[in-house]
Coordinates of all heavy atoms in Angstrom, one line a residue:
M1 N -5.7 3.9 15.7 CA -5.3 3.4 14.4 C -4.4 2.1 14.5 O -3.7 2.0 15.5 CB -4.5 4.5 13.6 CG -5.4 5.5 12.9 SD -4.5 6.4 11.7 CE -4.1 7.8 12.7
K2 N -4.7 1.3 13.6 CA -3.9 0.0 13.6 C -2.7 0.1 12.6 O -2.9 0.4 11.4 CB -4.8 -1.1 13.1 CG -4.1 -2.5 13.1 CD -5.0 -3.6 12.8 CE -4.3 -4.9 13.0 NZ -4.0 -5.7 11.9
Q3 N -1.5 -0.1 13.1 CA -0.3 -0.1 12.3 C 0.0 -1.5 11.7 O -0.2 -2.5 12.5 CB 0.9 0.4 13.1 CG 2.1 0.5 12.2 CD 3.3 1.2 12.9 OE1 3.2 1.4 14.1 NE2 4.3 1.5 12.2
T4 N 0.4 -1.5 10.5 CA 0.7 -2.8 9.8 C 2.0 -2.7 9.1 O 2.4 -1.6 8.6 CB -0.4 -3.1 8.7 OG1 -1.7 -3.2 9.4 CG2 -0.1 -4.4 8.0
V5 N 2.8 -3.7 9.2 CA 4.0 -3.9 8.4 C 3.8 -5.0 7.4 O 3.6 -6.1 7.9 CB 5.2 -4.1 9.3 CG1 6.5 -4.3 8.5 CG2 5.4 -3.0 10.3
Y6 N 4.0 -4.7 6.2 CA 3.8 -5.8 5.1 C 5.1 -6.0 4.4 O 5.8 -5.1 4.0 CB 2.8 -5.3 4.1 CG 2.5 -6.2 3.0 CD1 1.7 -7.3 3.1 CD2 3.1 -6.0 1.7 CE1 1.4 -8.2 2.1 CE2 2.8 -6.8 0.7 CZ 2.0 -7.9 0.8 OH 1.7 -8.8 -0.2
T7 N 5.5 -7.3 4.3 CA 6.7 -7.7 3.6 C 6.4 -7.8 2.2 O 5.5 -8.6 1.8 CB 7.3 -9.0 4.2 OG1 7.5 -8.8 5.6 CG2 8.6 -9.4 3.5
T8 N 7.1 -7.0 1.3 CA 6.8 -7.1 -0.1 C 7.6 -8.2 -0.8 O 8.5 -8.8 -0.2 CB 7.2 -5.7 -0.7 OG1 8.6 -5.5 -0.6 CG2 6.4 -4.6 -0.1
Y9 N 7.2 -8.4 -2.0 CA 8.0 -9.4 -2.9 C 8.0 -8.8 -4.3 O 7.1 -8.2 -4.7 CB 7.4 -10.8 -2.8 CG 6.1 -10.9 -3.5 CD1 6.0 -11.3 -4.9 CD2 4.9 -10.7 -2.9 CE1 4.8 -11.3 -5.5 CE2 3.7 -10.7 -3.5 CZ 3.6 -11.1 -4.8 OH 2.4 -11.2 -5.5
G10 N 9.1 -9.1 -5.0 CA 9.2 -8.8 -6.4 C 9.4 -7.3 -6.7 O 9.3 -6.8 -7.8
T11 N 9.8 -6.5 -5.6 CA 10.0 -5.1 -5.8 C 11.3 -4.7 -5.1 O 11.8 -5.4 -4.3 CB 8.9 -4.2 -5.2 OG1 8.8 -4.4 -3.8 CG2 7.6 -4.5 -5.9
C12 N 11.8 -3.5 -5.4 CA 13.0 -3.0 -4.7 C 12.7 -2.6 -3.2 O 13.6 -2.7 -2.4 CB 13.5 -1.7 -5.4 SG 14.0 -2.0 -7.1
S13 N 11.5 -2.2 -2.9 CA 11.1 -2.0 -1.5 C 11.0 -3.3 -0.8 O 10.6 -4.3 -1.4 CB 9.8 -1.2 -1.4 OG 8.7 -1.9 -1.8
K14 N 11.3 -3.4 0.4 CA 11.3 -4.6 1.2 C 10.1 -4.7 2.1 O 9.6 -5.8 2.5 CB 12.6 -4.8 2.0 CG 13.8 -4.8 1.1 CD 13.7 -6.0 0.1 CE 14.9 -6.0 -0.9 NZ 14.7 -6.7 -2.1
F15 N 9.6 -3.6 2.6 CA 8.5 -3.5 3.6 C 7.7 -2.3 3.3 O 8.2 -1.3 2.7 CB 9.0 -3.4 5.0 CG 9.9 -4.5 5.5 CD1 11.2 -4.4 5.4 CD2 9.3 -5.6 6.0 CE1 12.0 -5.4 5.9 CE2 10.1 -6.7 6.4 CZ 11.5 -6.6 6.4
I16 N 6.4 -2.3 3.6 CA 5.5 -1.2 3.6 C 4.9 -1.1 5.0 O 4.3 -2.0 5.5 CB 4.4 -1.3 2.6 CG1 5.0 -1.6 1.2 CG2 3.6 0.0 2.6 CD1 3.9 -1.9 0.2
N17 N 5.0 0.1 5.6 CA 4.4 0.4 6.9 C 3.2 1.3 6.6 O 3.3 2.2 5.8 CB 5.3 1.1 7.9 CG 6.5 0.3 8.2 OD1 6.5 -0.9 8.3 ND2 7.6 1.0 8.4
F18 N 2.0 1.0 7.2 CA 0.9 1.9 7.1 C -0.1 1.7 8.2 O 0.0 0.8 9.0 CB 0.2 1.6 5.7 CG -0.4 0.2 5.6 CD1 -1.7 -0.1 6.0 CD2 0.3 -0.8 5.0 CE1 -2.2 -1.3 5.9 CE2 -0.2 -2.0 4.9 CZ -1.5 -2.3 5.3
E19 N -1.0 2.7 8.3 CA -2.0 2.6 9.4 C -3.4 2.8 8.7 O -3.5 3.5 7.7 CB -1.8 3.7 10.4 CG -0.5 3.6 11.2 CD -0.3 4.8 12.1 OE1 -1.0 5.8 12.0 OE2 0.5 4.6 13.0
L20 N -4.4 2.1 9.3 CA -5.8 2.3 8.9 C -6.5 2.8 10.1 O -6.4 2.2 11.2 CB -6.4 0.9 8.4 CG -5.9 0.4 7.1 CD1 -6.5 -1.0 6.8 CD2 -6.3 1.3 5.9
D21 N -7.4 3.8 9.8 CA -8.2 4.3 10.9 C -9.5 3.5 11.0 O -9.7 2.5 10.3 CB -8.4 5.8 10.8 CG -9.2 6.2 9.6 OD1 -9.9 5.3 9.0 OD2 -9.2 7.4 9.2
D22 N -10.4 3.9 11.9 CA -11.6 3.1 12.1 C -12.5 3.1 10.9 O -13.4 2.3 10.7 CB -12.4 3.7 13.3 CG -11.7 3.5 14.6 OD1 -10.8 2.5 14.7 OD2 -11.9 4.2 15.6
E23 N -12.3 4.1 10.0 CA -13.1 4.2 8.8 C -12.4 3.5 7.6 O -12.8 3.7 6.4 CB -13.4 5.7 8.5 CG -14.3 6.3 9.5 CD -14.5 7.8 9.2 OE1 -13.9 8.3 8.3 OE2 -15.4 8.4 9.9
Q24 N -11.3 2.8 7.9 CA -10.5 2.1 6.9 C -9.9 3.1 5.9 O -9.8 2.8 4.7 CB -11.3 1.0 6.2 CG -11.7 -0.1 7.1 CD -12.3 -1.2 6.5 OE1 -13.0 -1.1 5.4 NE2 -12.2 -2.4 7.1
R25 N -9.5 4.3 6.4 CA -8.7 5.2 5.6 C -7.2 5.1 5.9 O -6.9 4.8 7.0 CB -9.2 6.7 5.9 CG -10.6 6.9 5.4 CD -11.0 8.4 5.6 NE -12.3 8.6 5.0 CZ -12.5 9.0 3.8 NH1 -11.5 9.2 3.0 NH2 -13.7 9.2 3.3
L26 N -6.4 5.3 4.9 CA -5.0 5.0 4.9 C -4.2 6.2 5.4 O -4.5 7.3 5.0 CB -4.6 4.6 3.5 CG -3.2 4.0 3.3 CD1 -3.1 2.7 4.1 CD2 -3.1 3.7 1.8
H27 N -3.3 5.9 6.3 CA -2.4 7.0 6.9 C -1.0 6.5 7.0 O -0.7 5.3 7.2 CB -2.9 7.4 8.2 CG -4.3 8.0 8.2 ND1 -4.6 9.2 7.8 CD2 -5.5 7.4 8.5 CE1 -5.9 9.4 7.8 NE2 -6.5 8.3 8.2
N28 N -0.1 7.4 7.0 CA 1.3 7.2 7.4 C 2.0 6.1 6.6 O 2.7 5.2 7.1 CB 1.5 7.0 8.9 CG 0.9 8.2 9.6 OD1 1.2 9.3 9.3 ND2 0.1 7.9 10.7
V29 N 1.8 6.1 5.3 CA 2.4 5.0 4.4 C 3.9 5.3 4.3 O 4.3 6.4 4.0 CB 1.7 5.0 3.0 CG1 2.4 4.0 2.1 CG2 0.3 4.6 3.2
Q30 N 4.7 4.3 4.5 CA 6.1 4.4 4.3 C 6.6 3.1 3.7 O 6.4 2.0 4.1 CB 6.8 4.5 5.7 CG 6.5 5.8 6.4 CD 7.2 5.8 7.8 OE1 7.2 4.8 8.5 NE2 7.9 6.9 8.1
F31 N 7.4 3.3 2.6 CA 8.0 2.2 1.9 C 9.5 2.2 2.4 O 10.1 3.2 2.4 CB 8.0 2.4 0.4 CG 6.7 2.3 -0.3 CD1 5.8 3.3 -0.3 CD2 6.3 1.1 -0.9 CE1 4.5 3.2 -0.9 CE2 5.1 0.9 -1.5 CZ 4.2 2.0 -1.5
M32 N 9.9 1.0 2.7 CA 11.3 0.8 3.1 C 12.1 0.3 1.9 O 11.9 -0.9 1.5 CB 11.4 -0.2 4.3 CG 10.7 0.2 5.5 SD 11.2 1.8 6.2 CE 9.6 2.6 6.4
G33 N 12.9 1.1 1.3 CA 13.5 0.8 0.1 C 12.7 1.2 -1.1 O 11.7 1.9 -1.0
G34 N 13.2 0.9 -2.3 CA 12.5 1.4 -3.5 C 13.0 2.7 -4.0 O 13.9 3.3 -3.4
C35 N 12.4 3.3 -5.0 CA 12.7 4.6 -5.5 C 12.1 5.7 -4.7 O 10.9 5.8 -4.8 CB 12.3 4.7 -7.0 SG 12.9 3.4 -8.0
P36 N 12.9 6.4 -3.9 CA 12.3 7.4 -3.0 C 11.3 8.4 -3.7 O 10.2 8.7 -3.1 CB 13.5 8.2 -2.4 CG 14.6 7.2 -2.6 CD 14.3 6.4 -3.9
G37 N 11.6 8.9 -4.9 CA 10.7 9.8 -5.5 C 9.4 9.2 -5.8 O 8.3 9.9 -5.6
N38 N 9.3 8.0 -6.2 CA 8.1 7.3 -6.5 C 7.3 6.9 -5.2 O 6.1 7.1 -5.1 CB 8.3 6.1 -7.3 CG 8.8 6.4 -8.7 OD1 8.4 7.5 -9.3 ND2 9.6 5.6 -9.3
T39 N 8.0 6.3 -4.3 CA 7.4 5.8 -3.1 C 6.9 6.9 -2.2 O 5.8 6.8 -1.6 CB 8.2 4.8 -2.3 OG1 9.5 5.4 -2.0 CG2 8.5 3.6 -3.2
V40 N 7.7 8.0 -2.0 CA 7.2 9.1 -1.2 C 6.0 9.8 -1.9 O 5.1 10.2 -1.2 CB 8.4 10.1 -0.9 CG1 7.9 11.4 -0.3 CG2 9.5 9.5 -0.1
G41 N 6.1 10.0 -3.2 CA 5.0 10.6 -3.9 C 3.7 9.8 -3.8 O 2.6 10.3 -3.5
L42 N 3.9 8.5 -3.9 CA 2.7 7.6 -3.8 C 2.1 7.7 -2.4 O 0.9 7.8 -2.3 CB 3.1 6.1 -4.1 CG 2.1 5.0 -4.0 CD1 0.9 5.3 -4.9 CD2 2.7 3.7 -4.2
A43 N 3.0 7.7 -1.4 CA 2.5 7.7 0.0 C 1.7 9.0 0.2 O 0.6 9.0 0.9 CB 3.7 7.7 0.9
K44 N 2.1 10.1 -0.3 CA 1.4 11.4 -0.2 C 0.1 11.4 -0.9 O -0.9 11.9 -0.4 CB 2.3 12.6 -0.7 CG 3.4 12.9 0.3 CD 4.2 14.1 -0.2 CE 5.3 14.3 0.7 NZ 5.1 15.5 1.5
M45 N 0.0 10.7 -2.1 CA -1.2 10.7 -2.8 C -2.3 9.8 -2.2 O -3.5 10.1 -2.4 CB -0.9 10.2 -4.3 CG -0.1 11.3 -5.1 SD 0.0 11.0 -6.8 CE 0.7 9.4 -6.9
V46 N -1.9 8.8 -1.5 CA -2.9 7.9 -0.9 C -3.3 8.3 0.5 O -4.2 7.8 1.1 CB -2.5 6.5 -0.9 CG1 -2.3 6.0 -2.4 CG2 -1.3 6.2 -0.1
E47 N -2.6 9.3 1.1 CA -2.9 9.7 2.5 C -4.4 10.1 2.7 O -4.9 10.9 1.9 CB -2.0 10.9 2.9 CG -2.3 11.4 4.3 CD -1.9 10.4 5.4 OE1 -1.0 9.6 5.2 OE2 -2.5 10.5 6.5
G48 N -5.0 9.5 3.6 CA -6.4 9.8 4.0 C -7.5 9.2 3.1 O -8.7 9.3 3.3
R49 N -7.1 8.4 2.0 CA -8.0 7.8 1.1 C -8.5 6.5 1.7 O -7.8 5.8 2.4 CB -7.4 7.6 -0.2 CG -7.1 8.8 -1.0 CD -6.6 8.5 -2.4 NE -7.2 9.3 -3.3 CZ -7.2 9.2 -4.6 NH1 -6.5 8.2 -5.2 NH2 -7.8 10.1 -5.4
P50 N -9.7 6.2 1.3 CA -10.3 4.9 1.7 C -9.4 3.7 1.1 O -9.0 3.8 0.0 CB -11.7 4.8 1.1 CG -12.0 6.3 0.9 CD -10.7 6.9 0.6
A51 N -9.2 2.7 1.9 CA -8.3 1.6 1.5 C -8.9 0.9 0.3 O -8.1 0.6 -0.6 CB -8.2 0.6 2.7
R52 N -10.2 0.7 0.2 CA -10.8 0.1 -1.0 C -10.5 0.9 -2.2 O -10.3 0.3 -3.3 CB -12.3 -0.1 -0.7 CG -13.1 -0.7 -1.9 CD -12.6 -2.0 -2.5 NE -12.3 -3.1 -1.6 CZ -11.5 -4.2 -2.0 NH1 -11.0 -4.3 -3.2 NH2 -11.3 -5.1 -1.1
E53 N -10.6 2.2 -2.1 CA -10.4 3.1 -3.3 C -8.9 2.9 -3.8 O -8.6 2.9 -5.0 CB -10.6 4.5 -2.9 CG -10.4 5.5 -4.0 CD -10.7 6.9 -3.5 OE1 -11.8 7.2 -3.1 OE2 -9.8 7.8 -3.6
V54 N -8.0 2.9 -2.8 CA -6.6 2.7 -3.1 C -6.3 1.4 -3.8 O -5.6 1.3 -4.8 CB -5.7 2.9 -1.9 CG1 -4.2 2.6 -2.1 CG2 -5.8 4.3 -1.3
I55 N -6.9 0.3 -3.3 CA -6.8 -1.0 -3.9 C -7.3 -0.9 -5.4 O -6.6 -1.4 -6.3 CB -7.6 -2.1 -3.1 CG1 -7.0 -2.3 -1.8 CG2 -7.7 -3.4 -3.9 CD1 -7.9 -3.0 -0.8
D56 N -8.5 -0.4 -5.6 CA -9.0 -0.3 -6.9 C -8.1 0.5 -7.9 O -8.0 0.2 -9.1 CB -10.4 0.3 -6.9 CG -11.4 -0.6 -6.2 OD1 -11.2 -1.8 -6.1 OD2 -12.5 0.0 -5.8
L57 N -7.5 1.5 -7.4 CA -6.6 2.4 -8.2 C -5.2 1.7 -8.5 O -4.7 1.9 -9.6 CB -6.3 3.7 -7.5 CG -7.4 4.7 -7.5 CD1 -7.0 5.9 -6.5 CD2 -7.7 5.2 -8.9
L58 N -4.7 0.9 -7.6 CA -3.3 0.5 -7.7 C -3.1 -1.0 -8.0 O -2.0 -1.4 -8.5 CB -2.6 0.8 -6.4 CG -2.6 2.3 -6.0 CD1 -1.8 2.4 -4.7 CD2 -2.0 3.2 -7.1
K59 N -4.1 -1.8 -7.9 CA -4.0 -3.2 -8.1 C -3.6 -3.6 -9.5 O -4.2 -3.0 -10.4 CB -5.3 -4.0 -7.7 CG -5.1 -5.5 -7.6 CD -6.4 -6.1 -7.1 CE -6.2 -7.6 -7.1 NZ -7.3 -8.3 -6.5
N60 N -2.7 -4.5 -9.7 CA -2.2 -5.0 -10.9 C -1.3 -4.0 -11.7 O -1.1 -4.3 -12.9 CB -3.4 -5.5 -11.8 CG -4.1 -6.7 -11.1 OD1 -3.4 -7.6 -10.6 ND2 -5.4 -6.7 -11.2
I61 N -0.9 -2.9 -11.2 CA 0.1 -2.1 -11.8 C 1.5 -2.9 -11.9 O 1.9 -3.4 -10.9 CB 0.3 -0.7 -11.1 CG1 -1.0 0.1 -11.3 CG2 1.5 0.0 -11.7 CD1 -1.0 1.4 -10.5
K62 N 2.1 -2.9 -13.0 CA 3.4 -3.6 -13.2 C 4.5 -2.6 -13.2 O 4.3 -1.4 -13.6 CB 3.4 -4.4 -14.5 CG 2.2 -5.3 -14.6 CD 2.2 -6.5 -13.7 CE 1.1 -7.5 -13.9 NZ 0.0 -7.4 -13.0
C63 N 5.7 -3.1 -12.9 CA 6.9 -2.2 -13.0 C 7.8 -2.9 -14.1 O 8.4 -3.9 -13.8 CB 7.6 -2.2 -11.7 SG 9.1 -1.1 -11.7
G64 N 7.8 -2.3 -15.3 CA 8.5 -2.9 -16.4 C 8.1 -4.3 -16.6 O 6.9 -4.6 -16.8
S65 N 9.0 -5.2 -16.7 CA 8.7 -6.6 -17.0 C 8.4 -7.4 -15.7 O 8.1 -8.6 -15.8 CB 9.8 -7.3 -17.7 OG 11.0 -7.3 -16.9
K66 N 8.4 -6.8 -14.6 CA 8.1 -7.5 -13.3 C 6.6 -7.7 -13.2 O 5.8 -6.9 -13.7 CB 8.5 -6.6 -12.1 CG 10.0 -6.4 -12.0 CD 10.3 -5.5 -10.8 CE 11.8 -5.2 -10.7 NZ 12.1 -4.4 -9.6
P67 N 6.2 -8.8 -12.5 CA 4.8 -9.1 -12.4 C 4.1 -8.2 -11.4 O 2.9 -8.3 -11.2 CB 4.8 -10.5 -12.0 CG 6.1 -10.7 -11.2 CD 7.1 -9.8 -11.9
T68 N 4.8 -7.3 -10.7 CA 4.2 -6.5 -9.6 C 4.9 -5.1 -9.6 O 5.8 -4.9 -10.5 CB 4.3 -7.2 -8.3 OG1 3.5 -6.5 -7.3 CG2 5.7 -7.4 -7.8
S69 N 4.6 -4.3 -8.6 CA 5.2 -3.0 -8.5 C 5.0 -2.5 -7.0 O 4.2 -3.2 -6.3 CB 4.6 -2.0 -9.4 OG 3.2 -1.8 -9.1
C70 N 5.6 -1.4 -6.7 CA 5.3 -0.9 -5.3 C 3.9 -0.5 -5.1 O 3.3 -0.9 -4.1 CB 6.2 0.3 -5.0 SG 8.0 -0.2 -4.8
P71 N 3.2 0.1 -6.1 CA 1.8 0.4 -5.9 C 1.0 -0.9 -5.8 O 0.1 -1.0 -5.0 CB 1.4 1.2 -7.2 CG 2.7 1.8 -7.7 CD 3.8 0.8 -7.3
D72 N 1.3 -1.9 -6.6 CA 0.5 -3.2 -6.6 C 0.8 -3.8 -5.2 O -0.2 -4.4 -4.7 CB 1.0 -4.1 -7.7 CG 0.3 -5.4 -7.7 OD1 -1.0 -5.4 -7.7 OD2 1.0 -6.5 -7.7
Q73 N 2.0 -3.8 -4.7 CA 2.3 -4.4 -3.4 C 1.5 -3.7 -2.3 O 1.0 -4.3 -1.4 CB 3.8 -4.3 -3.1 CG 4.6 -5.3 -3.9 CD 4.2 -6.7 -3.6 OE1 4.5 -7.2 -2.5 NE2 3.6 -7.4 -4.5
L74 N 1.3 -2.3 -2.4 CA 0.5 -1.6 -1.4 C -1.0 -2.1 -1.5 O -1.6 -2.4 -0.5 CB 0.5 -0.1 -1.6 CG -0.3 0.7 -0.7 CD1 0.0 0.4 0.8 CD2 -0.2 2.2 -1.0
A75 N -1.5 -2.3 -2.7 CA -2.8 -2.8 -2.9 C -3.0 -4.2 -2.3 O -4.0 -4.5 -1.7 CB -3.2 -2.8 -4.4
Q76 N -2.0 -5.0 -2.6 CA -2.0 -6.4 -2.0 C -2.0 -6.4 -0.5 O -2.7 -7.1 0.2 CB -0.9 -7.2 -2.6 CG -1.1 -7.6 -4.0 CD 0.0 -8.5 -4.6 OE1 0.4 -9.4 -3.9 NE2 0.4 -8.2 -5.8
A77 N -1.2 -5.5 0.1 CA -1.1 -5.4 1.6 C -2.4 -4.9 2.1 O -2.9 -5.5 3.1 CB 0.0 -4.3 1.9
L78 N -3.1 -4.0 1.5 CA -4.4 -3.5 2.0 C -5.4 -4.6 1.8 O -6.3 -4.8 2.7 CB -4.8 -2.3 1.2 CG -4.0 -1.0 1.5 CD1 -4.3 0.1 0.5 CD2 -4.1 -0.6 2.9
E79 N -5.4 -5.3 0.7 CA -6.4 -6.5 0.6 C -6.2 -7.5 1.7 O -7.2 -8.0 2.3 CB -6.2 -7.1 -0.8 CG -6.9 -6.4 -1.9 CD -6.9 -7.2 -3.1 OE1 -6.0 -8.0 -3.4 OE2 -8.0 -7.1 -3.9
K80 N -5.0 -7.8 2.0 CA -4.7 -8.7 3.1 C -5.2 -8.2 4.4 O -5.8 -8.9 5.2 CB -3.2 -9.0 3.1 CG -2.8 -10.0 4.2 CD -1.3 -10.3 4.2 CE -1.0 -11.3 5.3 NZ 0.5 -11.6 5.4
E81 N -4.9 -6.9 4.7 CA -5.3 -6.3 5.9 C -6.9 -6.3 6.1 O -7.4 -6.5 7.1 CB -4.8 -4.9 6.0 CG -5.0 -4.3 7.4 CD -4.3 -5.0 8.5 OE1 -3.3 -5.8 8.3 OE2 -4.8 -4.9 9.7
L82 N -7.5 -6.1 4.9 CA -9.0 -6.1 5.0 C -9.6 -7.4 4.9 O -10.8 -7.6 4.9 CB -9.5 -5.2 3.8 CG -9.2 -3.7 3.8 CD1 -9.7 -3.0 2.6 CD2 -9.7 -3.0 5.1
G83 N -8.8 -8.4 4.8 CA -9.3 -9.8 4.8 C -9.9 -10.2 3.5 O -10.8 -11.0 3.4
G84 N -9.3 -9.6 2.4 CA -9.8 -10.0 1.1 C -11.2 -9.4 0.7 O -11.8 -9.7 -0.2
K85 N -11.6 -8.4 1.6 CA -13.0 -7.8 1.4 C -13.0 -6.9 0.1 O -12.1 -6.3 -0.2 CB -13.4 -7.0 2.6 CG -13.5 -7.8 3.8 CD -13.8 -6.9 5.0 CE -13.7 -7.6 6.3 NZ -13.8 -6.8 7.5

């Protein structure tokens, strides 16, 4: 599995750590910072899901008046890792 560390922007979390397996399924998601109840819950819900599915579910979710959110940042991190595929 390939481990990735993504530096977030516009959210309370500062980094997202995650791994993608050979089938591009998501594992071991960890948000550094942010609201623990939300980020831990999100990490559990996406465990083992295909990266493309997670992107489709989470992309463009906003947090209040912010232009992004922790879920949106995870989607952006996965898109970057997949090369925009």
Side-chain angles (χ1 to χ4, degrees):
M1 275 196 266
K2 181 176 189 249
Q3 183 172 11
T4 299
V5 177
Y6 178 79
T7 303
T8 62
Y9 69 91
T11 61
C12 298
S13 69
K14 300 300 176 200
F15 300 95
I16 305 171
N17 298 325
F18 62 90
E19 295 177 344
L20 287 175
D21 64 20
D22 293 338
E23 296 176 351
Q24 296 184 334
R25 291 184 175 271
L26 193 56
H27 300 281
N28 303 315
V29 176
Q30 295 179 313
F31 288 83
M32 303 300 131
C35 304
N38 292 330
T39 57
V40 170
L42 176 60
K44 287 182 181 253
M45 289 191 304
V46 300
E47 178 65 29
R49 287 185 140 190
R52 177 50 53 197
E53 179 181 304
V54 173
I55 293 166
D56 292 343
L57 287 170
L58 303 180
K59 189 172 180 180
N60 296 319
I61 292 176
K62 309 291 186 255
C63 183
S65 63
K66 295 178 182 179
T68 189
S69 66
C70 291
D72 181 54
Q73 287 295 291
L74 178 57
Q76 290 184 40
L78 292 170
E79 279 190 326
K80 182 178 179 184
E81 188 62 26
L82 296 178
K85 297 176 190 172

